[in-house]
Amino acid sequence: MAGIRMIDIAVNFTDGMFKGIYHGKQCHVSDIATVLNRAWAAGVTRIIVTGGSLEESREALAIAETDGRLFCTVGVHPTRCKEFEESGDPEKHFQALLSLAKEGIQKGKVVAIGECGLDYDRLHFCPAEIQKKYFEKQFELAYITKLPMFLHMRAAAADFCEIVEKNKDRFTAGVTHSFTGSMDDCIKLLSFDKMYIGINGCSLKTTENLDVVKGIPVERMMIETDSPYCEIKNTHAGIGFVKSTWPSKKKEKYDQECIVKGRNEPCLVKQVLEVVAGCKGINDVSNLSRTLYHNTCRIFFPHDLDSAADALLAGGNST
């Protein structure tokens, strides 16, 4: 698979696992640099680091500033939307997000507003009414900054699509990431112009999931790991399509030459690519990766499109 280039649109580098901390216990050294080296070697050329709260978005921006190939989002995850009200001044909290986004845009690092949306599987973290209120509010961030949106939809398709419909003129484009919905949900999402669907290991668990992925046009798809979560497990329906593997060891026996068992990481986005190709019966994985790469650049890195297109026409490999 020479010449494959991939962009992982969702990596949670702010998660403790990348600092070697699991359930509050330090198991190994912080190893983002090692994880990145594995990703670059696998053909990943860019990574978008996810922000899920004001504090996390600050940290995501700081991480993105450490490497020219790292970028990030600024926003509040649906399960954390209580932070607007717990801050004591929701409007001030919103303004802090806006100024962080503007700072990140100036630095050439913030490429999307998010992760925002609705998650009705985890209402114990944040009630639906608060989720809806602050999902809607974050369209203002997208409108002011002109950034695309990085979206989360879990067991909430009807309300989610209603809010997107109401605000569709307030954002330029978006991706509904970590998609695990039905074909109906998928059709609803694709009815919005410039809405893409993000696929990771959680999108590829069951044969039903694979049937839905088969029906998503590759022109409207992006790939991601959502690491350290959402790995493709041996029990997943798509595992038979996986060709690329890495040696792994348990976190207690940490070895920087190996991936950590049970911790997803960006190099494994290659497996997502392989499963998407396999379940769709696509033999030319290289061509598929080009389409997905182009989709991602179109939304998150539009300045690179011309040079990317020129390079492809020239049969070149660099953007």
Side-chain angles (χ1 to χ4, degrees):
M1 273 202 239
I4 280 188
R5 287 181 310 161
M6 300 162 291
I7 297 172
D8 188 347
I9 64 161
V11 177
N12 299 282
F13 271 146
T14 60
D15 190 278
M17 285 189 233
F18 290 115
K19 301 178 184 88
I21 300 164
Y22 301 75
H23 310 297
K25 184 174 168 243
Q26 188 85 44
C27 293
H28 59 78
V29 295
S30 177
D31 66 341
I32 289 181
T34 305
V35 166
L36 285 176
N37 286 334
R38 255 194 300 274
W40 312 140
V44 175
T45 61
R46 279 172 217 194
I47 287 169
I48 301 175
V49 183
T50 314
S53 66
L54 175 58
E55 209 32 67
E56 208 176 76
S57 298
R58 282 197 186 112
E59 194 187 338
L61 177 56
I63 292 169
E65 287 184 78
T66 63
D67 191 294
R69 297 160 286 188
L70 297 179
F71 302 86
C72 69
T73 71
V74 167
V76 181
H77 190 281
T79 59
R80 313 271 276 268
C81 277
K82 283 206 288 204
E83 74 171 43
F84 281 95
E85 298 186 355
E86 286 169 354
S87 72
D89 187 341
E91 188 51 37
K92 192 177 166 196
H93 200 72
F94 174 84
Q95 291 301 331
L97 284 162
L98 178 59
S99 77
L100 181 65
K102 284 179 169 171
E103 178 198 334
I105 291 167
Q106 252 181 327
K107 290 174 169 171
K109 287 295 178 183
V110 172
V111 294
I113 296 303
E115 172 176 2
C116 55
L118 299 176
D119 189 323
Y120 290 178
D121 268 350
R122 289 179 278 184
L123 291 170
H124 50 287
F125 289 123
C126 184
E129 287 316 305
I130 291 180
Q131 287 192 31
K132 286 195 282 193
K133 181 178 178 180
Y134 292 105
F135 177 27
E136 190 128 25
K137 182 76 177 159
Q138 290 180 79
F139 281 91
E140 267 178 62
L141 288 174
Y143 182 70
I144 297 166
T145 59
K146 304 282 179 278
L147 286 175
M149 295 188 85
F150 183 78
L151 299 164
H152 176 103
M153 180 183 89
R154 197 64 89 236
D159 286 357
F160 179 95
C161 289
E162 190 182 316
I163 290 172
V164 172
E165 174 64 40
K166 208 160 112 189
N167 293 278
K168 65 181 180 192
D169 298 328
R170 310 194 75 198
F171 72 111
T172 54
V175 59
T176 302
H177 101 108
S178 194
F179 181 75
T180 57
S182 65
M183 200 62 225
D184 282 351
D185 296 345
C186 182
I187 290 162
K188 270 188 212 152
L189 290 174
L190 293 176
S191 73
F192 297 109
D193 283 348
K194 292 201 179 163
M195 180 68 81
Y196 290 74
I197 294 182
I199 300 298
N200 62 31
C202 289
S203 319
L204 306 166
K205 276 184 184 171
T206 65
T207 48
E208 291 78 19
N209 290 150
L210 294 185
D211 285 340
V212 173
V213 170
K214 272 182 210 169
I216 303 172
V218 292
E219 296 71 27
R220 301 289 292 277
M221 188 188 284
M222 295 183 196
I223 51 173
E224 54 172 277
T225 56
D226 205 22
S227 48
Y229 328 111
C230 296
E231 64 175 336
I232 296 175
K233 297 190 164 88
N234 288 332
T235 51
H236 286 189
I239 191 70
F241 298 121
V242 169
K243 296 183 173 68
S244 304
T245 56
W246 280 259
S248 67
K249 281 191 178 170
K250 288 183 177 163
K251 57 188 182 293
E252 295 81 8
K253 300 203 161 128
Y254 181 79
D255 175 347
Q256 65 171 28
E257 299 301 314
C258 300
I259 63 174
V260 175
K261 212 184 257 308
R263 180 186 74 170
N264 200 5
E265 59 170 81
C267 67
L268 297 168
V269 75
K270 196 164 192 183
Q271 295 185 341
V272 177
L273 176 69
E274 290 164 353
V275 176
V276 168
C279 83
K280 281 180 162 290
I282 296 170
N283 295 323
D284 190 346
V285 181
S286 191
N287 197 34
L288 171 64
S289 79
R290 263 199 299 276
T291 303
L292 299 174
Y293 193 90
H294 188 80
N295 296 345
T296 309
C297 285
R298 181 178 294 152
I299 302 309
F300 296 118
F301 308 104
H303 305 308
D304 296 342
L305 265 189
D306 297 337
S307 54
D310 292 344
L312 290 176
L313 287 171
N317 235 350
S318 61
T319 47

